[in-house]
Amino acid sequence: MAGKERAIPAPMTNPETEPFWAAAREGKFLLRGCTACGKTHWYPRAVCPFCFSERTEWREGSGRGTIYSLSVMKRAPEPYAIAYVTLEEGPTMMTNIVDCDLDSLAIGQKVTVAFKPTQNDGPPFPMFRPA
Amino acid sequence: MTIKGSAYIAGAFEHPTRLAKDKSVAQLHAEVAVGALADAGLTKADVDGYFCAGDAPGLGPLAMADYMNLKLSHLDSTDVGGCSYIAHVAHAAEAIMAGKCRVALITLAGRPRSEGHSGAVPRIRGADAPDTQWEFPTGVATVNAYAMCAARHMHQYGTTSEQLAWIKVAASQHAQYNPHAMLRDVVTVEEVVNSPLIATPLHRLDCCVVSDGGGALVVVAPEIARSLKRPKVKVMGAGESMKGQMGGEVDLTYSAAVRSGAAAFAEAGVKPADIKYASIYDSFTITVLMQIEDLGFCEKGQGGRFVADGNLISGTGKLPFNTDGGGLCNNHPANRGGITKVIEAVRQLRGEAHPKVQVKNCDIALAHGTGGLLGSRHGGATLIMERE
């Protein structure tokens, strides 16, 4: 397992994204999708980045995904693994892989969402651990 | 309508400092402006267009234009990160063609080395940027964003750390002849891959230097270029673009160079095989490899093979690159390497590079840069120039 874990800065939320972070506090992983074109995107936004429709909505995500790429930051007081994870629903998101031996991780590995607490009682941040 | 032949680079100057503890950022901007105007044979009074980017202190171009007391008819502070100054040359050519100005000054300067900046420390790139809340908590710095591109390229195309190391080896071969270069020691592939891992799979010697300093360019109308004594470097074509995460359809294996490069080659009417010298942005070794593929110097996925075995070394390789030592060994002022890319290309076209690295009959050169983070969202700018 990893050693001492990095303190995670709190995300600076705004009215457009507040529902995501409120749900995160309840352990729910929301995604934003478009009812016009049907596609789910990341990061969540009010206007669909594919078809530019404003008819977007929150959808609960499965929390399952696959590592698309990763890098272990060795030059940090507490090394951590930044990664892109491709979600079962389609989009790929920047995140961390946690609760694991960082040197054992590989592209293509299956992972599941794990919310991690952030500094100053900020909302928990969606990270992933090996499935 | 194209900018081909509409403007010339008449002045180019790279500040000799790499550590400027005793200078201000504004002072460095002004000093490189003095140097580039002197190189061109022009004066401050000739300048009627001014270009700078986010490294300039103050609001856009206003503070620096006022510090230098310029009288301007055209201002532009387009900021697409480290490649901004390559785009500025194209914007200056457009402004000159439109009659908005005749002598455009472009400056870059900064002192990240004195201020203790590191590409391994996460920093907020705009607290109000819509992506910040989703990405800053992940600890995205500079080096690990580029490292994820390297990891994916290795996974998808079989690129190796040894192939990436050849890029640093070539830069070091060139830097040994540059008395101003921060790192002048020639290194081997083994030394690169045995240097400490910073962010896997990138090692310390896969990373550029952090240096103080700056550079400036003077872009002028054709009639002014003809009146000057310096060799004439003509703007042939340019392209700019950006690439992000595409709504979540992330693909880390290519860069904005696929679009900016194609546009520049089309405008210049030349092909990659016509390029005698290339300045390729080298924030990290992977940056060079991906851009070389995306500019069309080799097929996608073949960059590792292309850069290996000294193919980027002037005199022996097929594509001499960054003959000043580049950002990897020479200079990366203000953490923005775009202007030094154009400056070394101008030296090559003028025949004023160091004799040990001067490319013979260097008539057509390219400068390309990536700004921002290759692994999240970045700008790309390509410029093709010809000696007349």
Side-chain angles (χ1 to χ4, degrees):
Chain A
M1 299 296 279
K4 189 173 179 300
E5 286 191 7
R6 179 177 72 93
I8 299 160
M12 289 164 285
T13 69
N14 65 39
E16 186 184 5
T17 63
E18 191 52 50
F20 178 94
W21 300 110
R25 287 188 189 273
E26 295 168 14
K28 279 189 194 162
F29 179 50
L30 295 187
L31 298 172
R32 193 85 179 165
C34 177
T35 61
C37 72
K39 291 178 79 169
T40 304
H41 60 262
W42 186 266
Y43 52 87
R45 47 199 98 165
V47 178
C48 175
F50 300 115
C51 75
F52 236 38
S53 167
E54 293 169 81
R55 287 163 47 204
T56 55
E57 62 176 9
W58 295 107
R59 300 165 174 174
E60 189 160 356
S62 69
R64 288 189 292 271
T66 306
I67 298 175
Y68 169 79
S69 193
L70 85 152
S71 172
V72 179
M73 181 66 104
K74 298 285 189 181
R75 195 184 167 121
E78 298 103 17
Y80 58 97
I82 193 171
Y84 275 108
V85 166
T86 303
L87 302 171
E88 210 170 57
E89 291 82 1
T92 298
M93 63 180 282
M94 188 186 291
T95 183
N96 282 183
I97 311 296
V98 295
D99 303 337
C100 60
D101 172 7
L102 299 179
D103 294 325
S104 72
L105 296 169
I107 290 173
Q109 197 169 345
K110 302 282 186 203
V111 290
T112 54
V113 75
F115 281 101
K116 286 288 171 181
T118 62
Q119 289 176 311
N120 307 316
D121 292 324
F125 194 86
M127 296 184 166
F128 290 78
R129 64 166 65 103
Chain B
M1 204 162 64
T2 95
I3 61 168
K4 187 174 180 177
S6 67
Y8 290 74
I9 301 174
F13 180 77
E14 180 182 10
H15 205 295
T17 192
R18 300 292 180 268
L19 182 64
K21 284 190 185 296
D22 56 344
K23 292 178 190 289
S24 76
V25 173
Q27 177 184 5
L28 289 166
H29 274 271
E31 287 178 358
V32 294
V34 168
L37 286 166
D39 179 57
L42 292 165
T43 71
K44 182 170 82 72
D46 297 311
V47 175
D48 56 2
Y50 177 59
F51 295 71
C52 63
D55 54 283
L59 176 62
L62 297 181
M64 278 317 307
D66 188 40
Y67 178 110
M68 295 187 281
N69 191 22
L70 302 174
K71 306 285 188 289
L72 301 172
S73 56
H74 191 79
L75 303 88
D76 180 337
S77 58
T78 302
D79 192 356
V80 284
C83 62
S84 301
Y85 323 90
I86 299 173
H88 288 167
V89 175
H91 294 187
E94 290 162 16
I96 288 166
M97 191 167 70
K100 304 297 183 189
C101 62
R102 301 201 322 146
V103 176
L105 169 68
I106 305 166
T107 66
L108 165 146
R111 49 201 297 283
R113 188 177 176 197
S114 290
E115 292 163 10
H117 287 213
S118 162
V121 176
R123 64 186 164 95
I124 291 180
R125 295 160 196 266
D128 59 349
D131 45 81
T132 296
Q133 65 184 300
W134 307 105
E135 297 177 11
F136 182 65
T138 70
V140 61
T142 305
V143 61
N144 56 358
Y146 284 77
M148 285 194 286
C149 298
R152 186 68 201 182
H153 205 280
M154 289 175 168
H155 175 81
Q156 203 157 323
Y157 298 115
T159 305
T160 66
S161 290
E162 287 74 15
Q163 290 170 334
L164 288 175
W166 269 109
I167 296 165
K168 169 73 174 187
V169 169
S172 77
Q173 286 282 343
H174 298 148
Q176 67 178 312
Y177 303 113
N178 182 351
H180 299 300
M182 260 183 79
L183 307 175
R184 293 188 67 190
D185 290 341
V186 172
V187 299
T188 65
V189 168
E190 289 69 30
E191 284 170 316
V192 178
V193 300
N194 290 326
S195 65
L197 278 165
I198 302 295
T200 61
L202 296 180
H203 304 82
R204 191 174 69 189
L205 295 185
D206 286 301
C207 307
C208 67
V209 300
V210 175
S211 55
D212 299 346
L217 296 163
V218 180
V219 183
V220 304
E223 67 274 15
I224 293 177
R226 282 192 288 273
S227 74
L228 299 172
K229 294 188 180 72
R230 303 293 276 135
K232 284 197 269 306
V233 173
K234 184 162 70 178
V235 173
M236 291 284 284
E240 63 191 281
S241 188
M242 68 77 61
K243 178 170 167 275
Q245 296 175 12
M246 302 178 289
E249 295 181 344
V250 173
D251 186 338
L252 296 182
T253 61
Y254 72 95
S255 73
V258 296
R259 291 188 286 272
S260 68
F265 281 113
E267 188 166 52
V270 300
K271 303 181 297 299
D274 298 319
I275 301 299
K276 302 283 176 52
Y277 165 80
S279 280
I280 307 280
Y281 204 109
D282 54 349
S283 46
F284 301 93
T285 52
I286 184 63
T287 323
V288 176
L289 185 140
M290 280 177 53
Q291 292 168 133
I292 281 177
E293 293 177 343
D294 295 337
L295 291 166
F297 289 108
C298 67
E299 280 181 37
K300 178 48 69 181
Q302 297 299 307
R305 287 187 188 87
F306 185 86
V307 302
D309 303 323
N311 203 33
L312 301 178
I313 299 172
S314 185
T316 55
K318 263 188 272 180
L319 185 67
F321 100 124
N322 300 5
T323 42
D324 59 338
L328 287 169
C329 296
N330 171 31
N331 194 12
H332 193 231
N335 295 325
R336 290 163 170 254
I339 210 155
T340 45
K341 296 289 162 288
V342 180
I343 292 169
E344 182 65 6
V346 168
R347 289 192 193 108
Q348 282 286 352
L349 290 167
R350 286 172 169 177
E352 295 176 355
H354 190 283
K356 292 283 193 185
V357 296
Q358 175 67 48
V359 175
K360 289 193 183 70
N361 307 314
C362 187
D363 55 351
I364 301 180
L366 172 147
H368 176 81
T370 292
L373 300 181
L374 193 63
S376 64
R377 52 196 61 77
H378 64 271
T382 313
L383 177 68
I384 298 174
M385 298 147 275
E386 182 180 34
R387 183 188 65 212
E388 190 175 278

